[in-house]
């Protein structure tokens, strides 16, 4: 009889409090690591790296060779979905992603029927990572949530206030609904295939959950995320799902109550006392150290990390940053943080 290895991070997502919080770091594979920069310099572009399973699997595992993290996260990007739908997506050095914006007229030209085949290398990456990962480590897959992906598809790039997409949703409600339908359905298929390829947990990155009034928050964030959770669970019963609605602020309780996610990621601007009060007792949380405290290190990092651990000591808690690690982060600070979370 084979025994299934205990995965502390997966167990925490499923509602089991651990002796010490398991830890992973958003964007843990990336430019703060010299071995990532070295490998990246040998590729022709960021998307090529995402679509080359041998290299993407290697990059996924790099942070786990350095730090005793509890999870690996698939190395890919949320913008492989628009790319798979046939939209032009480029990553310009120093500029971030640049897309050819969709319009009310061109949304009908997206090609959801070709998306999964285009994403086949991602599933191969997951199978390779699974094979190279210790049995007690959790493998996290992910996708961008529909609203966040739509902000890039409509605006053509990142923006401080997502004005282009917010206005589009108000002026072209039917075209916007059609776009969200395509994104919801493609994301369900994509996540189901990630589970089939070995993911233990998936995270929905709703990085632009801010700047929405509460009506738009329901229609643009809560409803699409709930549809994804329901659609995935219809095909993968009890699928473990973390939602990360960055900037949800006062909408956090509604997000938790209505989407059906198992655990909620908190951004670093969410007050600890607010989260403790408004996320129901016993509900798993993830977060939420300011990434700049990890850059600064020392007492600024350590004291706050202890506060976060204490604030969530009475519930299942996954330690993480409140947003992605930044390239300037010293590796020694990451070592110290992981050590502190594991051993105090
Ligand atoms: C909004 C968003 C994107 N991508 C992602 C989000 C949601 C999370 C968040 O809010 O940070 C998610 C993402 N992007 C990447 C991962 C890999 C897994 C991980 O280690 O967490 C994940 C989970 C790799 C990446 N995605 C990107 C890089 C850097 C590209 C490079 O190596 O040149 C990496 C390692 C590029 C990217 N991709 C995106 C932007 C805005 C940029 C440019 C900004 C930047 O460079 O940091 C879109």
């Amino acid at each position: 009889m084979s025994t299934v290895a205990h995965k502390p991070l997966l167990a925490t997502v499923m509602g089991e409090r651990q002796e010490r919080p398991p830890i992973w770091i958003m964007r843990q594979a990336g430019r703060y690591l010299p071995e990532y920069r070295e490998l990246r310099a040998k590729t022709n572009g960021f998307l090529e790296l995402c679509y080359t399973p041998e290299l993407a699997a290697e990059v996924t595992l790099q942070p786990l060779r350095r730090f005793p993290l509890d999870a690996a996260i698939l190395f890919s990007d949320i913008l492989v979905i628009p790319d798979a739908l046939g939209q032009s997506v480029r990553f310009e050095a120093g500029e971030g992603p640049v897309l050819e914006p969709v319009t009310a007229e061109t949304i009908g030209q997206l090609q959801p029927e070709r998306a999964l085949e285009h994403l086949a290398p991602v599933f191969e990456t997951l199978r390779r990572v699974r094979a190279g990962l210790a049995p007690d480590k959790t493998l996290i897959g992910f996708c961008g949530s529909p609203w966040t992906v739509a902000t890039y598809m409509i605006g053509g790039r990142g923006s401080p206030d997502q004005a282009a997409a917010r206005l589009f949703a108000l002026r072209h409600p039917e075209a916007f609904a059609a776009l969200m339908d395509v994104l919801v359905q493609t994301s369900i298929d994509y996540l189901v295939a990630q589970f089939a390829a070995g993911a233990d947990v998936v995270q929905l990155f709703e990085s632009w959950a801010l700047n929405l009034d509460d009506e738009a928050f329901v229609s643009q964030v809560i409803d699409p995320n709930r549809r994804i959770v329901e659609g995935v669970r219809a095909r993968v019963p009890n699928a473990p799902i973390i939602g990360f609605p960055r900037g949800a602020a006062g909408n956090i309780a509604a997000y938790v109550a209505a989407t059906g996610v198992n655990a909620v990621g908190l951004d670093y601007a969410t007050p600890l006392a607010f989260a403790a009060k408004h996320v129901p007792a016993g509900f798993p949380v993830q977060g939420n150290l300011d990434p700049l405290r990890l850059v600064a290190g020392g007492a600024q990092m350590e004291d706050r990390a202890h506060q976060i651990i204490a604030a969530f000591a009475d519930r299942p808690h996954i330690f993480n940053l409140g947003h992605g690690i930044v390239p300037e982060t010293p590796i020694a600070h990451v070592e110290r943080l992981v050590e502190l979370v594991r051993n105090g």
Side-chain angles (χ1 to χ4, degrees):
M1 208 177 80
S2 71
T3 49
V4 179
H6 181 69
K7 299 182 183 192
L9 197 141
L10 171 61
T12 310
V13 175
M14 297 310 275
E16 200 184 279
R17 200 184 74 83
Q18 310 297 305
E19 201 57 39
R20 51 132 194 120
I23 177 171
W24 69 284
I25 295 174
M26 284 193 276
R27 297 274 193 111
Q28 64 190 28
R31 287 167 298 184
Y32 74 106
L33 291 175
E35 58 271 34
Y36 172 82
R37 294 196 299 269
E38 195 185 310
L39 194 145
R40 171 79 173 80
K42 291 190 215 143
T43 60
N44 282 326
F46 173 69
L47 279 177
E48 181 189 292
L49 176 54
C50 293
Y51 292 137
T52 309
E54 190 190 346
L55 301 181
E58 167 59 22
V59 168
T60 303
L61 291 167
Q62 280 176 347
L64 283 98
R65 298 204 182 98
R66 272 189 190 267
F67 318 112
L69 297 158
D70 291 287
I73 178 162
L74 165 70
F75 187 82
S76 181
D77 197 83
I78 65 167
L79 298 178
V80 297
I81 290 285
D83 186 55
L85 292 169
Q87 186 175 14
S88 158
V89 179
R90 289 175 297 127
F91 283 85
E92 308 278 337
E95 218 192 324
V98 181
L99 296 79
E100 179 68 36
V102 294
T103 65
E105 290 71 39
T106 61
I107 279 169
Q109 295 164 19
L110 295 169
Q111 300 165 270
E113 65 285 352
R114 76 194 271 281
L116 270 208
E117 199 186 315
H118 183 91
L119 295 165
V122 175
F123 312 132
E124 176 59 20
T125 300
L126 281 165
R127 285 189 286 270
R128 285 176 185 241
V129 174
R130 178 86 273 164
L133 200 60
D136 61 330
K137 307 288 183 187
T138 299
L139 178 52
I140 303 173
F142 72 92
C143 72
S145 289
W147 164 248
T148 291
V149 175
T151 66
Y152 289 95
M153 294 180 77
I154 294 165
R157 55 182 69 227
S159 77
D161 59 4
Q162 303 79 54
R166 283 162 51 215
L167 200 52
F168 186 96
L170 297 169
R171 281 191 174 146
H172 307 284
E174 284 175 18
F176 182 75
L179 175 59
M180 295 299 265
D181 285 348
V182 168
L183 291 172
V184 165
Q185 201 48 57
T186 305
S187 302
I188 291 168
D189 293 343
Y190 184 43
L191 295 177
V192 167
Q194 291 187 30
F195 279 113
D200 297 305
V201 173
V202 297
Q203 175 156 315
L204 305 176
F205 279 95
E206 190 73 279
S207 300
W208 296 114
L210 49 168
N211 297 322
L212 295 168
D213 63 40
D214 58 349
E215 185 182 330
F217 190 88
V218 170
S219 62
Q220 281 148 233
V221 173
I222 289 182
D223 287 351
N225 282 281
R226 178 184 48 74
R227 288 168 66 197
I228 291 177
V229 170
E230 288 173 357
V232 170
R233 295 238 179 92
R235 288 156 64 189
V236 182
N238 304 318
I241 303 175
I242 305 169
F244 176 49
R246 183 171 77 95
N251 293 306
I252 199 91
Y255 181 92
V256 166
T259 56
V261 296
N262 299 84
V264 66
L266 304 172
D267 62 68
Y268 59 84
T270 308
L272 298 177
F274 179 90
K277 185 166 166 204
H278 293 281
V279 179
F283 194 88
V285 296
Q286 172 176 283
N288 71 341
L289 187 74
D290 181 349
L292 296 187
R293 289 189 184 269
L294 187 54
V295 175
Q300 301 284 13
M301 173 180 89
E302 299 193 14
D303 294 353
R304 182 68 182 178
H306 284 300
Q307 280 174 32
I308 292 168
I309 292 168
F312 301 129
D314 60 349
R315 66 167 80 222
H317 174 216
I318 297 164
F319 198 94
N320 204 322
L321 303 182
H323 198 198
I325 188 169
V326 298
E328 304 73 57
T329 307
I331 284 170
H333 295 180
V334 181
E335 284 169 352
R336 176 63 196 124
L337 179 67
V338 177
E339 162 67 18
L340 178 158
V341 174
R342 291 182 77 92
N343 300 318

